[in-house]
Amino acid sequence: MKVKVEKKNFIGLKTDLLVVNIHDGKIDNHSFAHVVDKKLNGELKKIFKNEKFTGQEGEIKLIHTQGKLPCTYVAILGLGDKKKFNLEVIRKGAGQLFKLAKQINAKSVVTAVHGGHLGLFKKGECAQAVVEGISLAAYDYFRYVKKSKDHFQISELSLLCPDPKKVKEVEVGAKRGEVLAKGVCCARDLVNEAPNHMTPLGLAKASQNLKGVTTKVYKQDWIKKMKMGAYLGVAQGSINPPAFIEMHYKPKANSKKKIVIIGKGITFDSGGLSLKPPKFQETMKDDMAGAAAVVGLMSIIKDLNPKVEIWGMIAAAENMPGGKAQRPGDVVTSMSGKTIEVLNTDAEGRLTLADALTYADKKKPDLIIDMATLTGACMVALGNRIAGAMGNDQDLIDDIIDAGNKSGEPIWQLPLPDEYKAELKSHIADLRNIGGPYGGTITAGLFLQEFVGKNKWVHLDIAGPSWTEKPHSYEKAGGTGVMVRTLAEFLARKS
Ligand code: BES
Ligand code: ZN
Ligand code: ZN
């Protein structure tokens, strides 16, 4: 899709589809919709009245112009109540706009920068949201489908910007929207790839040759040398060997901060000997969604150009119940020296992350972020659209939650109370890898905390929002690529 900014009077533009918008059931004077209505001799107002179209969020109305305008169709996008308006309303509306364009096979689309006139958000931010919504809605995963009749792309998208002073800002915003969508789609691809192909080494391969990034892949011998016993214990039940992936980005200018971002990279989670029931295994290729978010982010890092140094880390492994698999009851020694009694081999993510967190400390980072599809309990607590956040630095947690809200990726904080640490006490080792039946997300967070040392740290449990069973606004069924945009926003603020 080619994206450009259109300065000309939109009414004269020849295009397949022109998209304008309305709020709160009425056409504002001086709005694009008002001009279109006049050109169509009051047709819009008539249709709104007859068909009870009030421009609520989620509504979109298609009108054939019958030659009264140079464009073939006009669509009116409902943006709902101005008081409830935010960037996510724009993204969702842009997603609807894409679906409509697909229905009528509109290859060239001209659209208003929805919400740009309200003054609530900068025009550049609104343009970014329009492009994000359209580009993410256009995503398909069709690697294994021979002929995808269903696949449709808009060839040319023009964003209307009659104010010459705002053109640059809209262009920059639109470009950022394109870049972010690329990163999200990269993460979606990695999650959606079948787990027989997306093995630890497959993931390592996908992490190589990223623009502006140096990637190192460490194999089993190195992992042994580093004494990452907790990580190795998880990997030993699979014939697919583990791979520790390290990605490095250093900005040209002197960087102000060093950030480590760790992603859980279990390429398939069968549960190991604590085997999951078949239904629960069906989506377990998603257990590397944290890793996918790190790779997705690193794949666009050069374009994002943050002014901070970033280390991306993935302790990739497959959790399988092969003959060499670890048993419930095994004791492993983590890289930190702490011993862990593995009572449930399905609580494997925290074991791999424990060693990754210890290793991360070697970089002397200013802060560590980890993202992990860690607990089913997080879906019980927050449902499947909200991520859980835990950590040891309230300002850092607040910053991440804020970046998530701006990006349309909601995050909710859960506590890490010292009192619950008792649940992780083992009779024979320093720790056990599971807590009691309640508060499983929190006990998993407390387990990780044992390995963060003195570092500032935030843990994001993305078990819910990393996957969607059904299509949802601008997401297709499957991997969502969650957290790429939140992290990009967070890094931009650190720059
Ligand atoms: N990968 C799962 C968590 C998960 C569940 C992610 C559902 C996405 C959807 C994790 O490794 C796991 O199995 N956790 C266990 C922990 C338990 C054994 C303490 C869980 O949540 O049941
Ligand atoms: Zn598991
Ligand atoms: Zn898992």
Side-chain angles (χ1 to χ4, degrees), residues 70-95:
C71 57
T72 316
Y73 288 98
V74 170
I76 320 292
L77 180 65
L79 294 181
D81 189 343
K82 277 182 196 163
K83 285 187 226 92
K84 289 187 190 154
F85 187 75
N86 58 44
L87 294 172
E88 188 63 0
V89 174
I90 306 179
R91 289 186 203 98
K92 285 183 175 163

Side-chain angles (χ1 to χ4, degrees), residues 26-45:
K26 63 172 196 297
I27 300 178
D28 289 341
N29 283 347
H30 312 298
S31 67
F32 289 143
H34 181 70
V35 182
V36 171
D37 188 44
K38 272 173 73 182
K39 285 279 168 196
L40 296 178
N41 307 325
E43 192 73 9
L44 289 192
K45 284 205 186 90

Side-chain angles (χ1 to χ4, degrees), residues 23 207 309 314 319 352 357-358 430 444 464:
H23 281 279
S207 311
E309 183 179 345
I314 302 163
N319 188 24
T352 61
L357 284 164
T358 304
D430 296 326

Side-chain angles (χ1 to χ4, degrees), residues 264 266 269-272 274 276 284 287 319 344-349 373-374:
K264 173 174 170 182
I266 299 297
D269 183 10
S270 70
S274 312
K276 286 182 186 293
M284 277 304 134
D287 217 17
N319 188 24
N344 190 319
T345 64
D346 196 13
E348 82 299 336
T373 46
L374 206 62

